[in-house]
Amino acid sequence: MKRLFFKFMTLMLGLLVTGCSRTPADEATAVNYQPQFEAFSMGILDCVPIRQDGNRFDEFADNPFVKVSEQPTSTFSVDADGASYGIMRRYLNYDLAIVPASVRIEEFLNYFTFNYAAPNSDDAIAINAEVGPCPWNPQHQLLRLGLKGKELKESEIPRANFVFLVDVSGSMQGKDRLDLLKSGLKELLFQLNPDDRISLITYSGKVEKLLESTPVSEAGRIKEAIDRLSANGSTAGGEALKMAYEEALANYDPKCNNRIILGTDGDFNVGVTSTEALVEMVEGYAKKGIYLSCLGFGMGNLNDGMMEKISNSGNGAYHYIDCEDEMMKVFVTERERFVSVANDTKCQITFDKDIVDSYRLIGYENRVMNNEDFADDEKDAGEIGAGQTITALYEVALNEAALGQGIQPFVTFDCRYKRSLGDESLPLQVKLTTEHIFNKNERSGEFYFAAGIAAYGMILRDSPFKGDATIDMAKQLVNQSLTFDPGNHRQELLQLMDKYVKMKE
């Protein structure tokens, strides 16, 4: 009740004093408040020069087909990142050729919310599966796997202990970088509760604690610190990361959402700079209950590979912020996803060797695990946020001769997750039979949507497994899913596909 009253009074004060729909918590700040995103039009940053020569993406090969007779089981960690999709959008909005190494199909899939059934009251996640003909290879089947995290009521969201770690080096200067990040941080203040706490640490040539842990009820003080952010100097990111973890630990509460949120273009060039050393650091603090989420900004020296690795190792997610709308998506409409409801979540798929000849996991190349790791609770895996959906696809080649032997199970989908990091993992299971293969009923819109995203991603990567995939095919598949489109993100995908076609003409 106290939280709701605080938010109500915050909103009413803003309406009375400024006429804005949102306003900081204290009157002194509210008097001077203006909407943070007025400088941007249509959600796209205008007139921002962009270069690509310094961007760093890790190369990888698409997962191959695997013979079931040799390896009937496939295991992978979930991946809640969405950065790759935002990077693709940034390229197309600036008429730039998409770097194939920047396209990670699992991040295209998991950028979106799918229309999956919520878990029951006893489970933190729910799983589902369906199978149908593969659009780009009609001789094969396409298996879609889905997971959904439990949605939380306002009263169930744990108190936040956030440490914002902000890159203020010279490379972060500009309205598509630090200016956009500052606007997002201010916007987040309107979504948090009065007893949530925020710290602010900056780094360039030096590391500085700009704001010690402060309750959101003192929003004016927090906003004043954000306003002081300015970009200059080199980038001592490694040392700053240490300070951020120390600040998070100093205010650690096991009942809180203890999280560092790093905003950077990824250019660490002073102090601890190697990705391996940074990964080792964040893994150690993740075991202590401090999560790390990364927000990437800008183009020209974007260290995508580093941010993906440290966010994965830090039990967080990696987002690329290319526009106002994306900042609002991360900080406002999907804010609850900063709260992990399922930890160390792993998926294991077992195919019947008599029915399935071979299979290929589409995407998740850097999240593949050893099969023996599935039941090992010491092995790290990905987290699922509150209300978040995760999707994976397998392309499957069948043994046609075995399909006439009646209805029988052909694939088992097992999942394990922990409610908290130190808990014992909990199992979930779904089985599909050959009846699902022969079912002539139309597949769900989510099946077609996932297939459309995968087809588009394989075209962008020029994947050797794209088969007959075309942009027209991808658009037709997406168009069969538009009855569910929160935020109109699916419609935007269709527009981006059209931009890609025009750019290739």
Side-chain angles (χ1 to χ4, degrees):
M1 184 63 68
K2 180 181 176 182
R3 289 183 173 189
L4 293 175
F5 177 76
F6 175 83
K7 288 190 173 182
F8 174 77
M9 291 304 295
T10 296
L11 175 62
M12 293 306 297
L13 181 61
L15 293 174
L16 290 171
V17 175
T18 68
C20 298
S21 60
R22 301 181 183 91
T23 183
D26 62 318
E27 183 174 353
T29 303
V31 170
N32 297 316
Y33 176 70
Q34 295 294 326
Q36 300 304 322
F37 292 123
E38 289 181 334
F40 310 109
S41 64
M42 302 297 290
I44 299 172
L45 300 172
D46 297 325
C47 303
V48 177
I50 181 172
R51 62 185 180 86
Q52 299 190 68
D53 53 301
N55 297 327
R56 282 163 281 180
F57 300 102
D58 289 345
E59 298 281 352
F60 62 93
D62 292 24
N63 286 324
F65 275 96
V66 177
K67 283 285 188 179
V68 177
S69 59
E70 299 173 1
Q71 187 172 315
T73 301
S74 171
T75 305
F76 65 94
S77 161
V78 302
D79 188 343
D81 296 350
S84 180
Y85 184 86
I87 292 169
M88 174 274 297
R89 180 174 56 205
R90 180 71 184 270
Y91 278 136
L92 291 181
N93 281 333
Y94 283 79
D95 297 322
L96 296 171
I98 296 171
V99 178
S102 73
V103 178
R104 296 181 289 272
I105 293 176
E106 70 276 12
E107 294 186 23
F108 277 38
L109 289 165
N110 295 327
Y111 177 86
F112 295 89
T113 297
F114 280 68
N115 191 18
Y116 295 153
N120 62 40
S121 58
D122 296 327
D123 292 321
I125 59 173
I127 65 174
N128 63 82
E130 66 178 323
V131 64
C134 180
W136 53 86
N137 191 341
Q139 303 304 313
H140 291 174
Q141 296 289 307
L142 188 66
L143 173 65
R144 181 196 58 74
L145 309 175
L147 303 88
K148 181 170 183 176
K150 178 182 178 181
E151 296 179 355
L152 297 179
K153 300 176 183 178
E154 181 73 21
S155 60
E156 296 176 315
I157 296 177
R159 186 170 63 83
N161 169 30
F162 286 160
V163 179
F164 288 99
L165 179 57
V166 180
D167 181 353
V168 293
S169 62
S171 63
M172 280 289 286
Q173 186 171 9
K175 67 180 183 179
D176 65 328
R177 304 183 188 208
L178 186 58
D179 290 350
L180 183 57
L181 175 56
K182 289 166 66 174
S183 297
L185 294 181
K186 293 175 187 177
E187 197 70 27
L188 181 62
L189 291 179
F190 304 104
Q191 311 304 318
L192 297 176
N193 293 299
D195 54 349
D196 291 330
R197 302 187 71 88
I198 287 179
S199 306
L200 186 58
I201 292 174
T202 64
Y203 63 97
S204 57
K206 65 176 182 178
V207 178
E208 180 181 3
K209 186 189 295 184
L210 199 63
L211 180 74
E212 68 275 9
S213 183
T214 302
V216 172
S217 58
E218 300 179 29
R221 187 177 167 209
I222 298 171
K223 181 178 179 294
E224 182 183 3
I226 295 171
D227 285 336
R228 297 204 306 269
L229 296 172
S230 62
N232 60 79
S234 54
T235 317
E239 294 303 314
L241 200 52
K242 289 181 182 178
M243 179 182 284
Y245 277 119
E246 290 171 0
E247 175 73 6
L249 281 176
N251 298 282
Y252 180 82
D253 184 337
K255 296 180 180 180
C256 285
N257 178 13
N258 301 280
R259 185 178 297 266
I260 294 168
I261 300 176
L262 168 64
T264 181
D265 58 5
D267 187 18
F268 287 15
N269 53 35
V270 176
V272 179
T273 60
S274 77
T275 297
E276 292 73 17
L278 292 169
V279 165
E280 184 178 356
M281 182 194 305
V282 302
E283 283 180 340
Y285 283 103
K287 294 176 181 178
K288 298 178 181 180
I290 308 295
Y291 292 63
L292 171 68
S293 293
C294 293
L295 308 178
F297 292 84
M299 282 283 176
N301 58 340
L302 180 69
N303 195 338
D304 173 83
M306 180 273 289
M307 285 189 281
E308 188 201 11
K309 285 186 173 69
I310 66 171
S311 62
N312 287 346
S313 300
N315 290 343
Y318 167 36
H319 307 277
Y320 178 76
I321 310 297
D322 61 320
C323 59
E324 164 205 334
D325 290 344
E326 186 65 16
M327 184 64 82
M328 292 292 288
K329 180 177 184 285
V330 171
F331 277 127
V332 179
T333 59
E334 297 180 0
R335 177 180 65 89
E336 67 175 350
R337 298 184 182 183
F338 282 124
V339 180
S340 295
V341 295
N343 296 275
D344 288 340
T345 308
K346 309 167 189 173
C347 299
Q348 188 166 82
I349 317 304
T350 304
F351 295 94
D352 186 296
K353 60 182 177 59
D354 294 326
I355 298 174
V356 180
D357 175 77
S358 58
Y359 61 86
R360 186 178 89 83
L361 174 60
I362 301 174
Y364 291 91
E365 280 82 5
N366 60 5
R367 302 297 267 172
V368 172
M369 304 182 72
N370 295 324
N371 291 329
E372 59 268 25
D373 293 341
F374 181 68
D376 185 351
D377 283 353
E378 296 300 314
K379 294 294 183 180
D380 180 63
E383 278 61 44
I384 300 176
Q388 189 162 33
T389 60
I390 300 294
T391 301
L393 296 170
Y394 281 84
E395 185 176 344
V396 179
L398 302 176
N399 287 319
E400 296 293 340
L403 293 178
Q405 301 178 5
I407 296 174
Q408 52 189 310
F410 84 95
V411 63
T412 301
F413 170 24
D414 287 295
C415 176
R416 300 193 75 91
Y417 73 95
K418 302 173 185 175
R419 294 185 185 275
S420 298
L421 287 173
D423 293 350
E424 183 178 340
S425 64
L426 303 172
L428 295 170
Q429 187 180 88
V430 168
K431 290 186 177 183
L432 294 182
T433 70
T434 50
E435 181 181 15
H436 294 93
I437 297 175
F438 296 113
N439 185 348
K440 299 301 182 182
N441 294 331
E442 190 165 326
R443 271 60 188 178
S444 74
E446 305 314 277
F447 176 89
Y448 294 116
F449 184 56
I453 294 173
Y456 179 52
M458 288 190 292
I459 292 169
L460 297 182
R461 283 190 53 76
D462 193 23
S463 169
F465 304 105
K466 68 180 184 294
D468 297 331
T470 64
I471 294 296
D472 282 343
M473 173 192 289
K475 289 178 62 178
Q476 289 172 12
L477 291 166
V478 171
N479 270 311
Q480 296 182 69
S481 73
L482 297 181
T483 55
F484 179 81
D485 189 14
N488 293 320
H489 296 303
R490 301 186 183 197
Q491 287 283 0
E492 181 197 50
L493 173 59
L494 292 171
Q495 295 168 7
L496 291 172
M497 290 179 180
D498 287 337
K499 286 187 177 184
Y500 176 76
V501 171
K502 291 180 180 179
M503 190 179 71
K504 298 294 286 186
E505 289 177 349

